[in-house]
Amino acid sequence: MAEGQLLIPPLRPGAGIAVIAPAGPPQPGRLEPVEGWLRERGYAPALLPSCFGPPPLPFLAASDAVRLADVHTAFADPRFDAVLALRGGSGCIRLLDGIDGDLLAASRKLLIGYSDLTVLHALRDRAGIPSLHAPMPASDWGLPGAQPDTDALFDRLARGWRAGDLVGHVAPQAAHPLTHGGAARGRLIGGNLAMFCALLGTRYLPDVDGALLFIEDISEEPYRVDRMLTQLRLSRVLDRIAGLLVGSFSGAESPDAVLADHLPRLRCPVLAGWPTGHGQPNRPLPLGVMAQMDAAAGKLTLG
């Protein structure tokens, strides 16, 4: 891959952004500012019907039919240059067998989101198209302490991503004790650990052979993290990846003891303490692109 090759094009001023709610509903007061936030950044937003409900179940933003239709509209309508998830939560996996795979494979539009969006990132990866694990408006934007993450997202959207770009690094003084090994190169996949594990045994799991797997999670007690890591081990995923990138685990008792039990057994390099996940910081992370991970130096470089 040539140095400087464009991997994810910039999102130019005035670009149309479709905002969809393929998972959970926004909390009260979190929907109204979204359009203004995007206009302030120079984009042309459109909030699609799934953002407005009504939720047929408390954890779903709208019916499966409405949410599915919005996914198709967002990727098919030429007015839109990118697709932004309103928030995560739960529900994306209910849509997988109804999504038009040919439509998604034909569209190069950037999908932006994280958490429950992990399963939609997997679809994009299977189509050979990059996506972006990044803060979402109803989950992160405007919250105390979240401004640096939001600024980092829009800065990178304006510049795009090229081969050779440094995605980020973990400073030596902040090196995680579970980091080990040297360098590894592979396609970045993954996201939320629970949602990635939910894809095991389905036809939607990304190709893990030689990949760099990123994991993070929220509100998962240590015994559940242990169960999911064991599931990855028993399914041989952890034997097949080239490297493991570990983001934040927040919202529950720390699973550090569980991670310390599992990660040193891995034969591949591990870079832990990566500043991406449900907590802060939550820096944007491209998925579905080739990257070089240098665990010893704490760096991740595209290409």
Side-chain angles (χ1 to χ4, degrees):
M1 184 177 294
E3 188 83 6
Q5 178 183 343
L6 190 61
L7 302 177
I8 299 178
L11 200 57
R12 304 296 184 188
I17 297 181
V19 183
I20 61 174
Q27 295 296 318
R30 296 296 297 167
L31 178 63
E32 292 78 7
V34 173
E35 188 173 4
W37 284 333
L38 286 166
R39 292 196 184 280
E40 287 173 5
R41 298 285 183 165
Y43 297 114
L47 275 60
L48 299 195
S50 57
C51 296
F52 302 99
L57 294 170
F59 55 85
L60 297 177
S63 69
D64 289 352
V66 170
R67 290 180 295 116
L68 183 62
D70 278 4
V71 170
H72 289 154
T73 298
F75 283 103
D77 193 321
R79 293 179 300 159
F80 306 131
D81 303 289
V83 182
L84 172 65
L86 182 65
R87 58 155 294 183
S90 182
C92 287
I93 201 166
R94 294 169 59 110
L95 306 181
L96 288 185
D97 58 354
I99 289 177
D100 184 338
D102 291 337
L103 186 155
L104 259 66
S107 172
R108 304 294 300 184
K109 296 175 187 179
L110 184 63
L111 173 65
I112 306 164
Y114 72 105
S115 188
D116 201 59
L117 276 290
T118 295
V119 301
L120 299 187
H121 289 316
L123 277 187
R124 300 297 276 166
D125 178 75
R126 290 182 64 84
I129 301 171
S131 58
L132 188 61
H133 185 290
M136 298 175 290
S139 300
D140 306 277
W141 302 3
L143 295 181
Q147 194 63 43
D149 296 327
T150 307
D151 289 342
L153 167 61
F154 282 103
D155 174 66
R156 290 315 306 247
L157 286 176
R159 292 189 288 133
W161 282 262
R162 295 181 178 273
D165 282 357
L166 180 68
V167 178
H169 71 282
V170 177
Q173 63 269 25
H176 197 284
L178 294 177
T179 292
H180 70 258
R185 182 174 183 268
R187 200 180 74 266
L188 273 167
I189 64 171
N192 180 260
L193 176 60
M195 296 314 303
F196 189 83
C197 286
L199 295 176
L200 292 171
T202 75
R203 66 180 187 273
Y204 304 104
L205 183 73
D207 181 5
V208 302
D209 290 317
L212 299 179
L213 174 61
F214 168 69
I215 58 171
E216 62 81 36
D217 220 318
I218 185 171
S219 301
E220 295 288 0
E221 295 296 334
Y223 77 91
R224 293 201 291 260
V225 175
D226 176 69
R227 182 174 60 211
M228 289 184 281
L229 291 175
T230 300
Q231 187 180 11
L232 291 181
R233 176 177 62 83
L234 294 176
S235 61
R236 305 302 296 272
V237 167
L238 297 179
D239 291 334
R240 295 159 60 190
I241 59 175
L244 184 68
L245 183 66
V246 184
S248 64
F249 283 75
S250 57
E253 181 184 343
S254 170
D256 280 356
V258 169
L259 296 174
D261 184 57
H262 282 268
L263 301 192
R265 306 182 204 175
L266 300 186
R267 292 173 290 183
C268 65
V270 174
L271 176 51
W274 193 256
T276 299
H278 280 75
Q280 295 172 357
N282 183 17
R283 294 297 195 259
L285 180 69
L287 298 174
V289 294
M290 294 298 293
Q292 178 84 17
M293 185 181 84
D294 187 336
K299 293 182 178 180
L300 186 68
T301 307
L302 295 187

